[in-house]
Amino acid sequence: MADNYNSRIIGDEAAEAVHPKTVPDGAVWFEREDITDADRPYVASLMNDSMALWSQDADPQLLSEGWYAVYDWQLTFAGATGSCSAAGDESARLLADQAASAAKDTAMPVSKAGHSLTAYAVPLHKRSDDRIFGFFVYVTPEGTEAGSLYANLCARHFRSCFYRRFEQVYVKDLLIQQERTERELGRRDGLFLAVKRLYDQIDVTSVLTEMLYSLEQLYPDSAVHLYLSQDHLNGDPRVKPLVFKNTSHDIVAKAFLEGRPVNERERSGKIRLAMPMTGKQAAYGVLCITMDEELWDEADLPAFTLLADTAGSAFENAKLYEQSNLLINELRLINELTKRLNQSLRLKEIFQFVTKELLGVFNADHCCVLQLNREKNQFIVMSSNIPDMSSEQFSPEYGFCGIVYRTKEPLIISDYWNTRIVTSKLMDNTGSRSLIASPIIVDGAVAGVILVTHKTANFFSYDNYKLLQVMSTHIGLAITNASLHAEVRRMVITDNLTGLHARHYLNEQIQSRQRKDPLGALILVDIDHFKRINDTFGHQVGDRILVQVSGIIRSSIRNGDIAARWGGEELAVYLPGIKADQAYRIAERIRSQVEKETDPVVTVSCGVSEWTYENDKISVESLFYRADMALYEAKHRGRNCIFVGQTG
């Protein structure tokens, strides 16, 4: 009824604007209003309420002496009051129906006599014209001329009560409409301010906070939640991860997948509405609001939709701005990382630097960098901030490094405790729940794996995952450069045949040690009659002998000692911090082992020299000269022996 009144009011106001009506002095403006054809479905209900008003005003004695009924213009029974000896009889109602029907046919007051009752029916006319909107019927046991007059008076009184009730409802509807209009205007103003505030934000967190705040202000008695992917979670308990479980019964998933609002009524009597938060490029999440069913108005849906769409666009703009800044920062970070990686050509330093940088970049708890040892077919932990993981070895089939090795793809784990697709010593020992991992690719093959973890679930974002993938590419290039540099340096300082150092490297190392050591010794080793071996057995056998002797020398000296091929069949060993007598014992060990282990059997002659900081002239040349003279003396004494040269 309110909607019909509203439509009529709108029409009347428009007419008033064109042809203003004058209100007589002392009259009330709404007294001009009348029921219309649109109100007819509600007339019976209104007449029933009016009968209650009429019975309150009527004389109780008169009510006890008769029965009174009202009908709408279609003769629909609308209500009754009063009593008489026959009021409860079906005949009273039947007689009233007949009288009302007769009055409708004649459009005049009529009386209808029954067996013991008389019914008087009076048409009820609208106040704006003579059309009939109902009938008032008076049923009495005594039919008199005064009964007709009394029925007319009662009908007039009832008509007055009817229009009083009509005006009450009319004014009430106007007030409801005004209240709704004011509420809508207030909400529209609030919505406008919310939209403005949303577009004023340039970062994702501010957009989400502002949107939730606006909804709580617009719908204070509701519960608001926002379901987003983990990339956008910001720690607000109202922002939850968007999870697809049972999409057929989950209105959040349904709203997201179908891109339209979905609502459901809960058993608790509340209504739950899910609205996709959509931008121009994609849907980013679902806005969900729960409130009491009586507080929800379908007319609010467009405003709610507008707010969700605005939030989606603002979120998208903020995300694009954030991503552009992130991209700039990532490019700057990658450039700085590459520059610093290229400053070092030592693998150990690179691995340590990478671990430190990744911990800082991703704000991670733990990091491990593993390198694949192809000879052992094992992943070896080259660097980590976990002491227990140092130099650990793992099979290429084990844990997350095994997955990365097989797929050659990066990996992200949101919650290891809940998924646990593989067993991981790293995750178990550190209590980590989140992980990002990436392969280190060298020449198209996996040369290593980077593992970065955090103890909090859902800690790493997809952007972190992509950034690690890009960084691992540059780390792989740095490792390749360092490996190539190490290999070139090894080739430069190493004799290809024997595997011993080259002569120039030995010279450099002796010069370096002479600047900081107090003493040292040099052994020159020469294979006896080597030319005869080449002539007898051929150069291949001669080369094999050189390799055998070189291996014996390596096994006879310390790790810090330096063995080199001096030239031809002459080999040299520099012993830092060793005196001549100690060098002699080492040379003797070499000599005896050569005689026992070579095939064909050969012997060697050795010359030993030493230097100390007390020497007047300390140089590589003088040290080699004295060792060479000692070697000459050993050969002169019959070979297969050792001679120690004089110091000085």
Side-chain angles (χ1 to χ4, degrees), residues 313-589:
S313 297
F315 180 87
E316 185 174 72
N317 293 338
K319 193 63 183 173
L320 290 172
Y321 178 77
E322 183 183 83
Q323 287 175 344
S324 63
N325 284 338
L326 182 63
L327 182 60
I328 292 171
N329 290 333
E330 285 181 359
L331 290 173
R332 186 183 297 116
L333 177 65
I334 291 169
N335 182 58
E336 183 64 24
L337 176 72
T338 304
K339 185 188 299 182
R340 295 185 64 179
L341 283 172
N342 290 335
Q343 288 176 353
S344 176
L345 291 172
R346 297 178 181 273
L347 279 174
K348 186 176 181 180
E349 291 180 359
I350 290 175
F351 286 128
Q352 291 174 344
F353 170 74
V354 165
T355 300
K356 180 181 177 182
E357 287 297 304
L358 293 180
L359 286 168
V361 168
F362 297 110
N363 195 24
D365 287 332
H366 306 290
C367 177
C368 280
V369 182
L370 301 92
Q371 186 178 28
L372 180 63
N373 185 317
R374 300 195 182 279
E375 294 180 358
K376 297 181 178 180
N377 194 32
Q378 291 281 308
F379 276 111
I380 301 173
V381 177
M382 303 302 295
S383 179
S384 174
N385 67 326
I386 310 165
D388 293 345
M389 296 292 291
S390 244
S391 300
E392 279 273 7
Q393 298 187 16
F394 300 99
S395 164
E397 302 298 321
Y398 177 79
F400 292 115
C401 61
I403 295 176
V404 174
Y405 177 73
R406 290 191 300 273
T407 62
K408 294 186 179 180
E409 295 290 339
L411 180 70
I412 181 169
I413 299 295
S414 298
D415 192 348
Y416 170 74
W417 293 2
N418 288 333
T419 54
R420 197 176 286 271
I421 56 177
V422 293
T423 299
S424 170
K425 184 175 181 180
L426 169 63
M427 304 295 281
D428 290 334
N429 288 2
T430 61
S432 296
R433 298 181 68 174
S434 299
L435 173 138
I436 47 176
S438 182
I440 300 173
I441 304 294
V442 175
D443 295 332
V446 177
V449 174
I450 299 171
L451 304 174
V452 183
T453 75
H454 199 279
K455 294 180 180 179
T456 304
N458 301 306
F459 182 80
F460 299 114
S461 67
Y462 185 65
D463 289 331
N464 296 147
Y465 163 85
K466 293 188 293 184
L467 178 59
L468 180 61
Q469 184 179 14
V470 175
M471 294 178 73
S472 65
T473 301
H474 292 272
I475 293 168
L477 291 174
I479 291 174
T480 300
N481 292 338
S483 299
L484 288 173
H485 181 268
E487 179 61 21
V488 169
R489 180 170 175 76
R490 188 193 67 78
M491 292 174 63
V492 168
I493 66 174
T494 304
D495 177 67
N496 289 334
L497 176 63
T498 62
L500 301 180
H501 291 295
R503 176 171 178 170
H504 69 86
Y505 179 77
L506 180 64
N507 290 345
E508 292 171 3
Q509 291 300 307
I510 295 175
Q511 286 179 343
S512 174
R513 301 308 294 259
Q514 283 183 333
R515 287 192 290 270
K516 53 188 177 181
D517 292 344
L519 71 163
L522 178 69
I523 303 173
L524 284 183
V525 181
D526 184 78
I527 300 174
D528 297 329
H529 304 298
F530 188 71
K531 184 175 182 305
R532 185 188 304 168
I533 294 171
N534 280 332
D535 293 342
T536 304
F537 300 102
H539 288 282
Q540 288 185 342
V541 174
D543 289 346
R544 193 175 73 212
I545 292 296
L546 271 172
V547 172
Q548 291 177 11
V549 174
S550 298
I552 292 169
I553 290 175
R554 273 196 298 269
S555 65
S556 303
I557 61 178
R558 304 168 300 176
N559 288 334
D561 298 335
I562 305 167
R565 187 175 182 183
W566 179 249
E569 71 275 16
E570 288 186 333
L571 310 172
V573 181
Y574 179 70
L575 309 167
I578 292 292
K579 290 188 175 182
D581 55 345
Q582 295 172 289
Y584 180 87
R585 290 193 291 272
I586 294 171
E588 176 56 28
R589 184 162 60 242

Side-chain angles (χ1 to χ4, degrees), residues 187-198 200 210 214:
R187 188 163 290 170
R188 189 176 300 172
D189 290 341
L191 184 63
F192 174 77
L193 292 174
V195 169
K196 184 177 182 301
R197 289 195 300 266
L198 279 171
D200 286 343
E210 182 59 46
S214 298

Side-chain angles (χ1 to χ4, degrees), residues 228 242 255-257 259 276-286 315-316:
L228 298 173
L242 182 59
F256 183 83
L257 294 173
M277 194 179 79
T278 308
K280 292 181 179 179
Q281 297 181 357
Y284 299 97
V286 175
F315 180 87
E316 185 174 72

